[in-house]
């Protein structure tokens, strides 16, 4: 079984401030982990993914995430928030085995305050 | 690369009619496609998984006779909502994974279905 917990359904940051979106996972096998971003009325865009290579993963738009097995975490960060970062962010997990079922977290809505 | 399209992007239909939504992988061959449903302010719920040329695997609680999925080619999957009712109104999103993208699903832009 696998699951994802995203702490904080809403996060507000000031423009230029650090963005930190939290994600903890549970998986019975080594996981693959993903962060997706969704803008209003659009599908999901892949930000970054961890697939058992480097634990610090860099993605698009200046985002990065670090896989910490001891903490079962995969938090998403960005040093300086832009107004264009305002969106919904989903953390997701799937097993590294053959079956590709992905489990999504409930999402975190990021608000950027000018 | 790894672009997935959906058509239509939005559709309004009358109760009792059927609606077909297409999902296409534009620049890769999708061995597996997934259909999700997203309610307002909620996460994505997997409805079914389909492999090209095989019957779809539905998640528990999803009516296979109501949500017909066809994955006839490596670039096209369709979801047909049969005898639609207002409670079927939702945002439907497909994703695809292929030979060279087996560890990642790439998502379409979604289809907003409103049943009157």
């Amino acid at each position: 079984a696998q699951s994802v917990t995203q702490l904080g359904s809403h996060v507000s940051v000031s423009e230029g401030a650090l963005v930190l979106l939290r994600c903890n996972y549970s998986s019975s096998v080594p996981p693959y982990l993903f962060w997706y971003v969704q803008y209003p009325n659009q599908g999901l865009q892949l930000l970054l993914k961890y697939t058992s290579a480097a634990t610090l993963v860099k993605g698009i738009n200046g985002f990065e995430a670090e896989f910490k097995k001891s903490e079962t975490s995969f938090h998403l960060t960005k040093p300086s928030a832009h107004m264009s970062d305002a969106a919904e962010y989903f953390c997701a997990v799937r097993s590294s085995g053959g079956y590709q079922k992905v489990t999504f977290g409930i999402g975190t809505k990021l608000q950027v305050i000018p | 690369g790894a672009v997935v399209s959906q058509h239509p992007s939005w559709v309004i239909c009358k109760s009792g009619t059927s609606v077909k939504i297409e999902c296409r992988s534009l620049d890769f061959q999708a061995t597996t496609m997934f259909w999700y449903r997203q309610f307002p302010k909620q996460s994505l719920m997997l409805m079914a998984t389909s492999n090209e040329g095989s019957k779809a695997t539905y998640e528990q609680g999803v009516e296979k006779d109501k949500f017909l999925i066809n994955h006839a080619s490596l670039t096209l999957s369709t979801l047909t909502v049969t005898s639609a009712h207002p409670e079927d109104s939702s945002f439907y999103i497909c994703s695809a994974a292929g030979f060279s993208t087996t560890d990642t699903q790439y998502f379409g832009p979604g289809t907003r279905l409103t049943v009157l």
Side-chain angles (χ1 to χ4, degrees):
Chain A
Q2 57 193 31
S3 66
V4 172
T5 302
Q6 288 185 243
L7 297 175
S9 57
H10 286 81
V11 171
S12 292
V13 299
S14 298
E15 191 175 16
L18 171 72
V19 176
L20 171 60
L21 304 183
R22 299 179 186 274
C23 173
N24 288 89
Y25 71 91
S26 171
S27 177
S28 56
V29 297
Y32 287 169
L33 294 158
F34 307 84
W35 276 101
Y36 288 90
V37 60
Q38 184 180 33
Y39 296 98
N41 296 312
Q42 295 186 28
L44 275 66
Q45 180 182 7
L46 180 67
L47 273 179
L48 49 80
K49 61 183 179 181
Y50 165 77
T51 55
S52 75
T55 56
L56 181 62
V57 181
K58 294 186 184 297
I60 62 172
N61 302 338
F63 284 94
E64 63 181 39
E66 185 172 8
F67 172 67
K68 292 187 177 181
K69 184 178 179 179
S70 61
E71 299 177 9
T72 61
S73 69
F74 191 57
H75 302 330
L76 181 70
T77 61
K78 180 174 180 177
S80 176
H82 289 184
M83 296 299 295
S84 60
D85 295 326
E88 187 102 27
Y89 292 81
F90 292 94
C91 182
V93 63
R94 59 155 280 205
S95 69
S96 54
Y99 185 46
Q100 296 191 26
K101 180 176 179 178
V102 173
T103 300
F104 287 86
I106 62 170
T108 297
K109 189 166 186 176
L110 176 66
Q111 180 185 20
V112 181
I113 304 168
Chain B
V3 178
V4 176
S5 70
Q6 275 183 249
H7 179 79
S9 55
W10 61 269
V11 57
I12 301 173
C13 69
K14 293 182 178 179
S15 185
T17 61
S18 295
V19 174
K20 180 184 286 188
I21 302 170
E22 292 186 349
C23 177
R24 294 181 184 272
S25 56
L26 299 184
D27 52 1
F28 67 103
Q29 292 184 320
T31 52
T32 308
M33 286 187 167
F34 305 83
W35 287 95
Y36 294 86
R37 186 172 179 177
Q38 185 180 31
F39 291 103
K41 302 186 189 302
Q42 293 189 29
S43 189
L44 281 71
M45 299 298 294
L46 180 66
M47 299 174 66
T49 302
S50 73
N51 292 296
E52 185 264 338
S54 302
K55 287 185 178 180
T57 301
Y58 290 82
E59 294 298 300
Q60 193 171 10
V62 178
E63 298 176 60
K64 61 179 66 176
D65 293 330
K66 181 167 189 59
F67 298 100
L68 302 178
I69 292 172
N70 183 279
H71 190 169
S73 76
L74 285 172
T75 59
L76 173 64
S77 176
T78 60
L79 167 68
T80 301
V81 183
T82 63
S83 187
H85 290 284
E87 57 265 30
D88 299 324
S89 299
S90 190
F91 195 51
Y92 293 87
I93 305 176
C94 73
S95 70
F99 296 115
S100 61
T101 64
T102 54
D103 61 354
T104 303
Q105 292 180 29
Y106 293 90
F107 286 79
T111 297
R112 173 77 58 193
L113 170 63
T114 301
V115 184
L116 301 177

